[in-house]
Amino acid sequence: QVHLVESGGGSVQAGGSLRLSCVASESTYNYYMAWFRQSPGKEREGVAAIDSVGRTSYADSVKGRFTISKDNALNTLYLQMDSLKPEDTAMYFCAADRGQLSAIQALGVIAYFGYWGQGTQVTVSS
């Protein structure tokens, strides 16, 4: 069973940037992975996904501002977040599972992911 540990969250002013990292306990070479977020009182939503061949997919709300990437040599998933907005404030979760699911198929579908991190908090002030 793979373990996922997120880091990089924090507090930033609107317009600022953060980079989240998610380190896996084993090789992510044949995994599809994603970032989700959840705010108090709201459902968990998909932010970005990347598949085993490096294709990516993004939620409309973050397109052009967030970039997902994966370093298989380091077993690490990243989320570069630029031009942050107060509405980006949430707990961000890393998720993963083995297989050939494409990023477009995986984006936002919680049921496709069997492994989850504990989350890292991102707070954006106006």
Side-chain angles (χ1 to χ4, degrees):
Q1 180 175 353
V2 64
H3 295 281
L4 304 172
V5 180
E6 303 99 331
S7 63
S11 297
V12 65
Q13 289 191 327
S17 298
L18 285 172
R19 188 176 81 155
L20 306 183
S21 298
C22 170
V23 179
S25 59
E26 62 182 58
S27 173
T28 57
Y29 178 75
N30 60 342
Y31 280 72
Y32 56 90
M33 303 183 75
W35 290 96
F36 288 76
R37 66 186 181 187
Q38 188 169 19
S39 303
K42 294 187 178 181
E43 292 186 354
R44 192 168 296 191
E45 63 174 354
V47 174
I50 186 166
D51 58 32
S52 61
V53 295
R55 293 171 298 193
T56 59
S57 185
Y58 297 91
D60 287 343
S61 59
V62 306
K63 275 181 185 176
R65 300 189 298 121
F66 290 11
T67 304
I68 189 171
S69 60
K70 184 157 71 91
D71 188 330
N72 290 326
L74 297 178
N75 300 342
T76 302
L77 178 73
Y78 301 101
L79 185 68
Q80 177 66 42
M81 304 186 295
D82 299 317
S83 302
L84 282 161
K85 303 176 181 180
E87 50 264 44
D88 295 319
T89 295
M91 184 72 78
Y92 283 71
F93 298 90
C94 170
D97 216 317
R98 296 182 186 88
Q100 301 304 311
L101 208 63
S102 72
I104 292 177
Q105 292 172 308
L107 179 65
V109 184
I110 293 173
Y112 287 163
F113 295 88
Y115 305 105
W116 292 83
Q118 293 300 305
T120 185
Q121 178 68 36
V122 172
T123 303
V124 185
S125 58
S126 57

